[in-house]
């Protein structure tokens, strides 16, 4: 199954918080410039998604817009929560591993992006540039995913002996929120706070809305109120473990939440549950934003310079080549005109040669006499 963490707005909030955090520190100017250059240089491969904040939803777009399931497991970790009354005669779920889940996405993309600055020679830089941009887009996204508690918790009980897929099978009734019909979607929406979908690329109005959200979150949860040990914690396993315990205690209420299986018997989420979940979601979003900024401070390229796309960079570095930028339509018109002109010259050459042959007595009648 594919889990879409925080929906789009939550991921955009995390990226916006991280970007604001980095831009607020003059020491991070080179880092911000390098990240922006890396994304812009590869925008030809990722149309309309070249801004640091806009790329936050790209990993979900692979599934939502293009229908691929190839990267579905990269977003979550099926860390099994086995409810106490679970029938012991049923097969038990396998314990969580490090492979093919959000942990491996974080680990390997972290490793790849940290090497982007090392390869600066033109002969090695093209592939590293593309891989770095790919991994940056994934990190901006999955740092958010791993902070959504039901992305790292999967409940097993007699009702769901095969797991509830992080709350996706747990039907809920969330008053006045018809688009939220399961427990996973409830937490994805920030407990209803960030259900509104923003356009990508962000419009002016959407960006204003996003900044309003992040401003409110910064005021409610300033860095001064969060322990440095919490913000600076970049242990991916600990991130998963923390979210897992939050999912059990506050998502599933330690197993006492009675999930529905259809819309007719969906569990009604009371105000106490909703209010508490909203507080948790806001804190998790803020924490994810600060941690993303700190992670990029540690591994992000600080010396990446804006360059031309890879397919023409080598020519630009070669002084024997001349590069001229021409708009696409003008290029097509010039190429078409050149083709017509070459065809015209070919026809003229043929006609001229035939005319000279006849004047020299080499027409068909001449060949007939020779034979």
């Amino acid at each position: 199954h594919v889990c879409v963490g925080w929906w789009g707005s939550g991921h955009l909030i995390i990226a916006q918080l991280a970007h604001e955090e980095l831009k607020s520190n003059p020491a991070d100017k080179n880092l911000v410039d390098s990240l922006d250059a890396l994304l812009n240089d590869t925008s030809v491969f990722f149309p309309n998604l070249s801004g640091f904040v806009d790329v936050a939803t790209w990993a979900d777009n692979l599934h939502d817009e293009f229908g691929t399931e190839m990267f579905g497991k990269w977003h979550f970790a099926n860390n099994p929560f086995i409810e106490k009354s679970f029938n012991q005669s049923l097969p038990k779920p396998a314990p969580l591993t490090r492979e093919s889940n959000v942990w491996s996405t974080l680990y390997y993309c972290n490793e790849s992006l940290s090497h982007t600055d090392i390869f600066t020679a033109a002969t090695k830089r093209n592939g590293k540039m593309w891989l770095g941009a790919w991994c940056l887009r994934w990190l901006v996204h999955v740092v958010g995913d791993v902070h959504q508690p039901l992305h790292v918790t999967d409940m097993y009980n007699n009702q769901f002996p095969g797991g509830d897929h992080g709350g996706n099978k747990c039907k809920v009734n969330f008053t006045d929120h018809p688009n939220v019909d399961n427990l996973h979607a409830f937490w994805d929406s920030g407990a209803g706070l960030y259900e509104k979908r923003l356009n990508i690329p962000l419009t002016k109005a959407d960006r204003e809305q996003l900044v309003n959200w992040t401003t409110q979150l910064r005021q409610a949860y300033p860095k001064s109120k969060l322990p440095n040990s919490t913000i600076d914690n970049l242990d991916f396993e600990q991130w998963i473990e923390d979210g897992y315990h939050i999912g059990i205690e506050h998502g599933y209420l330690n197993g006492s939440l009675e999930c529905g299986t259809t819309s007719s018997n969906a569990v009604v989420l009371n105000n106490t549950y909703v209010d508490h979940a909203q507080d948790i979601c806001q804190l998790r979003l803020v924490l994810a934003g600060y941690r993303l900024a700190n992670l990029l401070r540690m591994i992000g390229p600080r010396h990446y310079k804006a360059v031309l796309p890879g397919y023409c960079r080598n020519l630009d570095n070669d002084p024997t080549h001349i590069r001229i930028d021409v708009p696409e339509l003008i290029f097509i018109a010039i190429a078409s005109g050149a083709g017509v002109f070459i065809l015209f010259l070919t026809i003229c050459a043929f006609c001229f040669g035939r005319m000279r042959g006849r004047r020299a007595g080499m027409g068909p009648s001449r060949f007939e006499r020779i034979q």
Side-chain angles (χ1 to χ4, degrees), residues 101-306:
N101 57 35
V102 71
W103 183 91
S104 55
T105 311
L106 286 163
Y107 178 83
Y108 291 115
C109 282
N110 170 81
E111 184 180 58
S112 296
L113 183 59
S114 66
H115 293 161
T116 303
D117 256 349
I118 298 175
F119 296 90
T120 56
T123 55
K124 296 183 178 179
R125 191 175 184 182
N126 292 1
K128 286 294 176 180
M129 175 191 74
W130 188 90
L131 182 60
W134 167 275
C135 288
L136 176 57
R137 285 168 166 80
W138 272 104
L139 283 175
V140 171
H141 183 85
V142 294
V143 168
D145 280 341
V146 77
H147 282 81
Q148 205 275 56
L150 267 62
H151 262 248
V152 292
T153 317
D154 194 9
M155 184 178 70
Y156 288 75
N157 59 13
N158 296 328
Q159 187 179 24
F160 303 112
D164 75 337
H165 292 181
N168 275 289
K169 290 186 175 182
C170 178
K171 297 299 181 181
V172 302
N173 184 342
F174 187 21
T175 307
D176 298 327
H177 295 267
N179 293 326
V180 178
D181 64 353
N182 65 70
L183 193 63
H184 189 96
F186 170 80
W187 285 85
D188 272 349
S189 70
L193 291 175
Y194 308 110
E195 188 178 352
K196 180 181 179 180
R197 305 286 180 126
L198 303 183
N199 296 295
I200 299 295
L202 291 167
T203 65
K204 181 180 179 181
D206 288 332
R207 198 169 294 278
E208 290 175 352
Q209 173 66 79
L210 184 58
V211 172
N212 286 339
W213 280 336
T214 56
T215 301
Q216 293 169 6
L217 286 170
R218 282 180 175 275
Q219 291 174 348
Y221 301 93
K223 283 184 67 176
S224 59
K225 289 187 177 181
L226 299 175
N228 289 336
S229 59
T230 301
I231 297 175
D232 296 337
N233 178 8
L234 300 182
D235 183 338
F236 302 149
E237 287 188 357
Q238 190 62 53
W239 290 2
I240 292 175
E241 190 69 14
D242 291 345
Y244 174 68
H245 290 296
I246 292 173
I248 293 175
E249 182 178 355
H250 305 290
Y252 294 109
L253 301 180
N254 293 311
S256 66
L257 183 71
E258 298 181 0
C259 292
T261 54
T262 66
S263 57
S264 60
N265 66 0
V267 59
V268 178
L269 300 177
N270 60 43
N271 291 337
T272 301
Y273 183 94
V274 172
D275 291 344
H276 192 49
Q278 288 180 345
D279 291 340
I280 292 173
C281 286
Q282 288 182 311
L283 179 57
R284 298 296 288 173
L285 288 168
V286 171
L287 192 56
Y290 288 141
R291 283 176 170 173
L292 175 59
N294 282 340
L295 179 63
L296 293 175
R297 283 189 177 113
M298 178 178 292
I299 67 171
R302 291 180 178 272
H303 309 291
Y304 186 92
K305 302 300 181 183

Side-chain angles (χ1 to χ4, degrees), residues 23-41:
K23 292 187 70 175
S24 67
N25 187 351
D28 292 323
K29 184 180 186 306
N30 288 341
L31 173 61
V32 173
D33 291 344
S34 291
L35 294 174
D36 288 341
L38 181 61
L39 292 171
N40 288 331
D41 273 357

